[in-house]
Amino acid sequence: MNILGISAFYHDSAAALVRDGEIIAAAQEERFTRKKHDYRFPTHAVRYCLQAGRIDASDLDHVAFYDKPLLKFERLIETYIAHAPRGFKLFLMGMPLWLRQKLHLPSEMDKALDHKYKGRYVFTEHHEAHAASAFFPSPFDEAAILTLDGVGEWATASLGRGQGNKIELDREMHFPHSLGLLYSAFTYFTGFRVNSGEYKLMGLAPYGDPIYRELILDKLIDLKEDGSFRMDMSYFAYCHKAVMTGPAFEALFGGPPRKPESQLTRREIDIAASIQSVTEEIMLRSARHVHARTGCRKLVLAGGVALNCVGNGRILRESPFDDIWIQPAAGDAGGALGAALFVWYQLLDNPRRPAGGDMQRGSLLGPSFDADHTTQFLDSVHARYRRFDRESDLIETVADLIASEHVVGHMAGRMEFGPRALGNRSIIGDARSPKMQSVMNLKIKFRESFRPFAPSVLREDVAEYFQMRPNEDSPYMLLVAGVQNDKRKSIDGRSRGLDKLKQIRSVVPAITHVDFSARIQTVDEQRHGRYYRIIKRFKEKTGCPVIINTSFNIRGEPIVCTPEDAYRCFMATNMDALVIDDFLLLKKEQPEAKEHEIDAYLARFQLD
Ligand SMILES: [Fe+2]
């Protein structure tokens, strides 16, 4: 039985194919259209999923959509009426898309499926889809469920329990009160892009002091012991304007929002620290509450806020739960997967028997490319490459390149589903190198120098380098933990703000954030195959089981999907080497890229 799940029309459109309960394929539309966070109907992702399943749309038994558009429309209308006549402009801005597409979803979907699908469409609730994406693929037979995001139809957070093949959500928080939107309001106010710059705010937080924390708790929200809260909407504008915050908010934080791309000041840095601290508090209280309500020992999480890996790390360490599992595509893309799994388990009542690991297959659910395709392409652009017959030779070469401070673009096998690159579409480098953070930020990614990098570490060595349990799993890079004390270096405690950036804080400085934390991906042979073997060889050569893993893209660009994308990104940046499956390209051997081609490439991607 083939079930297709779709999410679309908000941000991060995606499609997923589930066959007899097994996840066959899943991908975000942005990777194909090369438009970051593409919200349009995921025509390309749908096509890919059908191809990956070797089926036609006529072979689909069910098609599920990740929210209920009519309920969402109702929220829009009610919000408008509540604020009228304010908000008329915002209302008018949103209407065309609703009238053209969102209210006619079945015919939109018919079109995308070439009118070959003859069944009905299932519309799950938005938070049901998130909850399904968190629980059903998890390794747990029973778990508490917590979903936190910006907003779905009305719900902005939900909690409940999953057991066997069923989920049950029994509490919700409703729009406009929303942790996701609260965080986004601060993302906007500090000059970053909403629904995309939230990571930057989280990355900036450790540079600051949370001096506005009490102000936020005092004025902006009324936070309850159970983690629920109400926002004082006189400070926020998102109900009636296309901006997040209003004049009262500005008065509270000493002036207008920071202009995007302008200098970051002490204020933004301390605001970042403050809202991050409040967010962690809300996440922790919510986790404790759902634990008390359900008595479950395991927790699963999804929704955009579950990408706040600092908060996740605190839940794991400080809440009463023994274990947590987070959907890697925790944002709206994951709703496509959740909707499909919801149909298979919840609606069709198929049995679910978790056996050991999770069902997410390393989240390596996207397209891969065969050697003929790659050869043809590389020849067509006159690239100079070497093709390796033996994997061990390739691994040897790559490990040597990294150990000698070269930056390697690594594309292999299937693309990741979810916002994190997990080794198959990654740029990798030596975590021991003091210069790597600035080299990668400024010369490869063309992004802000404060952005931290994340480590990939052999799972068997995770506890030696990081404050985690021996062999503890974090394969999806969704947990933050401290670098072990004996790997830290003493630093001058007087540095403030972005000056902290210059300090060498550990034996793996490139991945150690200013508060000695790191966003960890554990790598194991079963899930990660060759990527694991590369790091293992690197360790044999250097004694260090940790490398830098950052997504294979430049600032503002969706992560690369095809060999073509990877090659273009490689040629336009200062990357030293490129691996595409069994092929290796060295930059110094390539015909030089022309300046205007590089400029044109960089100009294609909007600043994020
Ligand atoms: Fe969502």
Side-chain angles (χ1 to χ4, degrees):
M1 177 176 288
N2 292 298
I3 306 173
L4 182 71
I6 293 172
S7 62
F9 296 135
Y10 190 41
H11 49 90
D12 292 319
S13 295
L17 180 68
V18 170
R19 176 177 298 153
D20 299 332
E22 190 191 342
I23 306 169
I24 300 295
Q28 289 138 273
E29 184 71 357
E30 62 160 29
R31 306 291 166 87
F32 304 98
T33 61
R34 313 305 298 151
K35 187 177 173 352
K36 201 161 185 175
H37 303 301
D38 201 339
Y39 66 90
R40 292 171 295 181
F41 193 86
T43 314
H44 302 81
V46 167
R47 198 178 304 144
Y48 154 67
C49 284
L50 296 178
Q51 270 167 11
R54 297 179 206 284
I55 56 169
D56 198 67
S58 59
D59 300 315
L60 289 169
D61 297 283
H62 299 275
V63 176
F65 192 76
Y66 85 137
D67 71 14
K68 293 189 189 291
L70 290 180
L71 268 181
K72 221 174 193 172
F73 193 62
E74 174 195 284
R75 188 224 329 141
L76 217 76
I77 302 275
E78 280 193 29
T79 307
Y80 169 62
I81 291 171
H83 292 85
R86 291 190 304 170
F88 185 58
K89 228 168 106 189
L90 183 66
F91 186 74
L92 277 187
M93 270 163 56
M95 272 312 106
L97 189 58
W98 276 99
L99 298 177
R100 252 187 299 119
Q101 289 183 297
K102 292 192 199 179
L103 288 175
H104 312 285
L105 257 179
S107 59
E108 263 321 291
M109 296 203 272
D110 279 345
K111 213 162 58 186
L113 298 171
D114 298 329
H115 300 279
K116 287 181 177 163
Y117 171 68
K118 298 297 175 210
R120 287 167 51 191
Y121 295 102
V122 176
F123 295 87
T124 69
E125 271 187 38
H126 188 91
H127 278 255
E128 274 175 345
H130 276 317
S133 79
F135 179 66
F136 291 133
S138 81
F140 309 140
D141 185 47
E142 184 188 37
I145 301 173
L146 184 58
T147 64
L148 299 161
D149 74 350
V151 59
E153 296 86 359
W154 282 100
T156 60
S158 74
L159 52 86
R161 169 210 292 268
Q163 192 164 23
N165 65 354
K166 290 284 182 293
I167 55 171
E168 197 182 334
L169 299 175
D170 55 6
R171 272 200 83 190
E172 282 183 348
M173 206 164 94
H174 280 181
F175 183 84
H177 313 291
S178 158
L179 181 53
L181 292 175
L182 178 70
Y183 207 86
S184 292
F186 281 93
T187 304
Y188 162 81
F189 191 74
T190 46
F192 301 116
R193 191 185 276 260
V194 169
N195 288 333
S196 135
E198 282 74 10
Y199 271 121
K200 298 187 188 181
L201 202 60
M202 188 178 74
L204 195 56
Y207 292 97
D209 299 311
I211 57 172
Y212 301 106
R213 181 190 148 97
E214 297 315 312
L215 191 68
I216 296 171
L217 290 170
D218 235 31
K219 300 278 188 197
L220 298 188
I221 65 172
D222 175 18
L223 177 61
K224 302 282 189 283
E225 203 42 52
D226 64 4
S228 69
F229 60 90
R230 291 185 68 79
M231 293 162 72
D232 182 341
M233 293 311 292
S234 63
Y235 292 98
F236 300 90
Y238 56 78
C239 285
H240 56 89
K241 268 176 129 171
V243 297
M244 298 298 291
T245 57
F249 193 102
E250 295 177 16
L252 208 56
F253 293 96
R258 168 184 164 253
K259 283 203 173 57
E261 303 305 315
S262 67
Q263 186 76 33
L264 276 167
T265 69
R266 191 75 225 172
R267 178 184 73 151
E268 287 83 48
I269 297 171
D270 288 338
I271 285 178
S274 307
I275 186 60
Q276 178 61 31
S277 163
V278 170
T279 300
E280 290 167 24
E281 178 69 32
I282 296 172
M283 290 174 80
L284 267 174
R285 285 192 193 191
S286 306
R288 288 190 186 116
H289 176 67
V290 70
H291 179 266
R293 269 177 86 86
T294 61
C296 293
R297 292 168 54 196
K298 314 281 166 72
L299 172 69
V300 295
L301 287 164
V305 178
L307 295 170
N308 194 309
C309 36
V310 183
N312 297 341
R314 287 198 59 192
I315 290 180
L316 184 63
R317 285 188 300 275
E318 297 172 45
S319 83
F321 287 105
D322 295 346
D323 205 354
I324 67 178
W325 193 84
I326 305 149
Q327 166 56 236
D332 282 354
L337 178 59
L341 291 170
F342 187 87
V343 171
W344 175 254
Y345 290 115
Q346 191 93 359
L347 300 184
L348 301 175
D349 202 22
N350 285 297
R352 174 177 173 274
R353 292 184 199 89
D358 68 41
M359 269 180 43
Q360 188 81 15
R361 305 172 69 181
S363 224
L364 305 174
L365 301 165
S368 60
F369 296 86
D370 60 36
D372 286 348
H373 174 107
T374 304
T375 314
Q376 243 175 42
F377 165 68
L378 291 177
D379 289 342
S380 77
V381 292
H382 309 292
R384 303 193 55 171
Y385 59 85
R386 182 174 161 200
R387 184 175 176 180
F388 287 81
D389 297 325
R390 285 190 346 180
E391 190 201 66
S392 55
D393 293 340
L394 175 67
I395 286 173
E396 188 70 23
T397 310
V398 173
D400 278 336
L401 279 166
I402 304 173
S404 52
E405 291 190 297
H406 292 89
V407 177
V408 180
H410 185 252
M411 161 176 179
R414 297 185 74 175
M415 182 176 70
E416 299 86 347
F417 180 50
R420 304 271 68 90
L422 302 170
N424 282 13
R425 299 290 186 279
S426 292
I427 299 171
I428 54 181
D430 191 342
R432 303 168 305 159
S433 164
K435 67 173 191 187
M436 254 325 138
Q437 180 174 13
S438 72
V439 167
M440 282 216 188
N441 268 331
L442 302 175
K443 292 177 122 181
I444 311 278
K445 310 267 288 191
F446 305 111
R447 66 183 203 179
E448 301 92 332
S449 61
F450 72 83
R451 304 279 302 275
F453 284 106
S456 289
V457 55
L458 299 177
R459 187 172 64 190
E460 58 265 33
D461 295 318
V462 68
E464 193 193 327
Y465 275 75
F466 304 102
Q467 292 170 336
M468 288 175 59
R469 295 192 301 264
N471 271 309
E472 190 173 343
D473 237 356
S474 178
Y476 304 119
M477 205 185 263
L478 286 166
L479 290 176
V480 163
V483 170
Q484 281 295 11
N485 291 333
D486 66 337
K487 301 285 187 260
R488 297 185 184 190
K489 294 196 166 164
S490 58
I491 49 158
D492 175 3
R494 284 168 302 179
S495 290
R496 283 278 163 271
L498 294 179
D499 283 344
K500 293 180 186 172
L501 196 56
K502 301 184 190 109
Q503 299 163 332
I504 306 290
R505 292 169 297 270
S506 80
V507 298
V508 278
I511 56 86
T512 307
H513 209 355
V514 291
D515 57 355
F516 294 101
S517 70
R519 188 179 72 213
I520 293 154
Q521 181 198 12
T522 56
V523 175
D524 58 90
E525 181 144 36
Q526 188 207 346
R527 275 197 191 93
H528 303 104
R530 185 210 278 176
Y531 188 51
Y532 171 88
R533 293 188 284 278
I534 289 175
I535 305 175
K536 191 156 170 81
R537 191 72 193 109
F538 177 75
K539 181 193 171 187
E540 284 161 6
K541 285 175 182 291
T542 64
C544 177
V546 183
I547 64 169
I548 305 172
N549 170 7
T550 183
S551 53
F552 197 151
N553 58 355
I554 60 165
R555 185 180 173 185
E557 180 187 22
I559 296 176
V560 300
C561 176
T562 63
E564 289 84 339
D565 302 334
Y567 176 78
R568 280 187 215 114
C569 186
F570 165 67
M571 289 302 285
T573 65
N574 291 298
M575 235 178 276
D576 300 303
L578 168 65
V579 174
I580 303 177
D581 295 307
D582 298 332
F583 300 81
L584 175 75
L585 287 77
L586 297 176
K587 179 63 70 54
K588 60 178 190 224
E589 293 176 357
Q590 304 308 312
E592 205 153 305
K594 299 187 181 62
E595 200 78 22
H596 69 271
E597 287 171 3
I598 296 177
D599 290 344
Y601 183 77
L602 301 183
R604 271 179 60 197
F605 303 106
Q606 284 180 0
L607 291 180
D608 55 346

